[in-house]
Amino acid sequence: MVGPLPGALRVPGLLCLVYAVARLGAEQEVENLSGLSSSPEKDIFVVRENGTTCLMAEFAAKLMVPYQVSASNYVDLLTEEAEIPLSRGAEMKGRCGPTDAELQISWLDRAYTLKLAFSKEGHNASRGQEAVWKMHKIQFVYDSSEPTYFKEAVNPGKYTASSHHLSALVTPAGKSYECQAQQTISLISSDHQRTVLLLLSEVRIQPFDISADFVFSEEHKCPVDEREQLEETLPLILGLILGLMIVITLCVYHIHHKLTANQVQIPRDRSQYKHMG
């Protein structure tokens, strides 16, 4: 018969119990709200902790995956490309933290899984560094035996495509990242080091510091969107400047004409001087 545990042994067990209860108390919920999107290609994912939103992501995504098929002679191999869109009915998992966060999305019976990892870098005023967050890792696991997008692939199986030294979507802390333009991110696959392309568009993401439930903070626009916006507004600005210059020129001409009209006109024909004097 085992006697009572000594106090020194009971304390670690109590600490483990407290930790487990704390983990349960900080329960994280995940929600796929893609059905609320006005765009059929855009998905919406939300991670909530203790009833409060801690990560939000909206984007349209598809992956371009090269794979090999047999040629008609059954000897040579040809390279095809599977275009895999992110499914509306995807399963998801999420994790929030003070300096790191993660979003994992799976679809078609988990034949495809896309994992996005985010990190937040601290503020260092002495070095003039502002706090920012970024997407530092992407991982895509795919099964080339899945027949929806892979047609008779040679050597089918599960492969993993990952990013290397990624620093994408860099955004000031406390803001959300927004980019309507399409962005392309390259991933290297374990399938003979082939390059898989992740195409993102209509992006709005915030993995940290969400101040209001289900509401993005102020947006930080990507450089491509800012350049396109400038290209759209520049002709309007130039047109306004040109119109203003025309108005100023007409006003100056009108004022000059009125001033000169009130002055005495000296006859140019000397014969008209005879009646003067």
Side-chain angles (χ1 to χ4, degrees):
M1 182 175 179
V2 179
L5 292 174
L9 295 178
R10 290 199 300 268
V11 171
L14 180 60
L15 290 176
C16 290
L17 178 61
V18 170
Y19 176 76
V21 171
R23 291 279 293 179
L24 290 174
E27 188 69 28
Q28 292 180 338
E29 308 167 7
V30 293
E31 297 180 77
N32 186 336
L33 303 179
S34 302
L36 302 178
S37 173
S38 58
S39 171
E41 297 180 351
K42 186 166 72 172
D43 292 89
I44 303 174
F45 304 103
V46 175
V47 180
R48 307 180 80 232
E49 185 176 79
N50 295 329
T52 303
T53 304
C54 59
L55 185 154
M56 289 181 66
E58 298 182 7
F59 54 84
K62 63 181 176 181
L63 294 113
M64 312 300 291
V65 183
Y67 68 101
Q68 288 188 320
V69 298
S70 296
S72 57
N73 59 12
Y74 298 101
V75 176
D76 298 324
L77 296 177
L78 302 176
T79 299
E80 298 286 348
E81 192 171 54
E83 183 176 324
I84 306 171
L86 182 58
S87 173
R88 264 290 179 92
E91 302 175 17
M92 62 170 292
K93 295 180 181 179
R95 178 175 58 82
C96 295
T99 58
D100 64 282
E102 188 177 277
L103 180 64
Q104 180 176 306
I105 309 160
S106 301
W107 64 101
L108 279 182
D109 295 325
R110 300 187 180 180
Y112 309 107
T113 298
L114 179 65
K115 184 184 295 184
L116 309 176
F118 307 91
S119 62
K120 183 179 176 182
E121 299 177 355
H123 173 81
N124 191 331
S126 61
R127 296 185 179 181
Q129 297 176 344
E130 295 294 333
V132 298
W133 66 262
K134 63 182 180 180
M135 184 162 62
H136 74 272
K137 184 179 180 180
I138 298 175
Q139 186 182 77
F140 178 57
V141 179
Y142 61 96
D143 187 351
S144 59
S145 65
E146 196 282 313
T148 305
Y149 302 108
F150 291 94
K151 310 298 183 183
E152 301 177 349
V154 174
N155 299 321
K158 277 209 167 186
Y159 299 99
T160 300
S162 303
S163 60
H164 293 275
H165 310 294
L166 184 64
S167 182
L169 282 59
V170 179
T171 303
K175 292 187 176 183
S176 62
Y177 176 88
E178 182 179 35
C179 194
Q180 295 298 310
Q182 181 173 281
Q183 303 168 82
T184 302
I185 301 175
S186 298
L187 312 175
I188 303 300
S189 174
S190 58
D191 182 14
H192 296 84
Q193 300 298 297
R194 292 189 174 93
T195 300
V196 174
L197 299 179
L198 171 61
L199 307 181
L200 293 173
S201 59
E202 301 181 73
V203 177
R204 187 81 183 269
I205 293 179
Q206 186 173 359
F208 304 102
D209 306 317
I210 296 178
S211 56
D213 208 19
F214 293 109
V215 178
F216 284 109
S217 299
E218 178 187 355
E219 74 276 4
H220 171 74
K221 290 186 178 292
C222 63
V224 179
D225 278 6
E226 289 184 340
R227 184 166 60 249
E228 288 182 353
Q229 185 177 4
L230 179 61
E231 290 174 353
E232 290 176 359
T233 57
L234 188 58
L236 177 61
I237 294 172
L238 292 176
L240 290 174
I241 293 174
L242 180 60
L244 184 61
M245 291 177 63
I246 293 173
V247 171
I248 292 174
T249 303
L250 291 174
C251 289
V252 170
Y253 173 78
H254 180 69
I255 294 172
H256 175 72
H257 182 71
K258 286 191 67 175
L259 292 176
T260 55
N262 293 331
Q263 294 178 355
V264 177
Q265 299 295 323
I266 300 176
R268 296 192 178 189
D269 187 357
R270 292 181 179 272
S271 63
Q272 297 181 24
Y273 291 147
K274 58 185 180 180
H275 68 275
M276 301 177 65

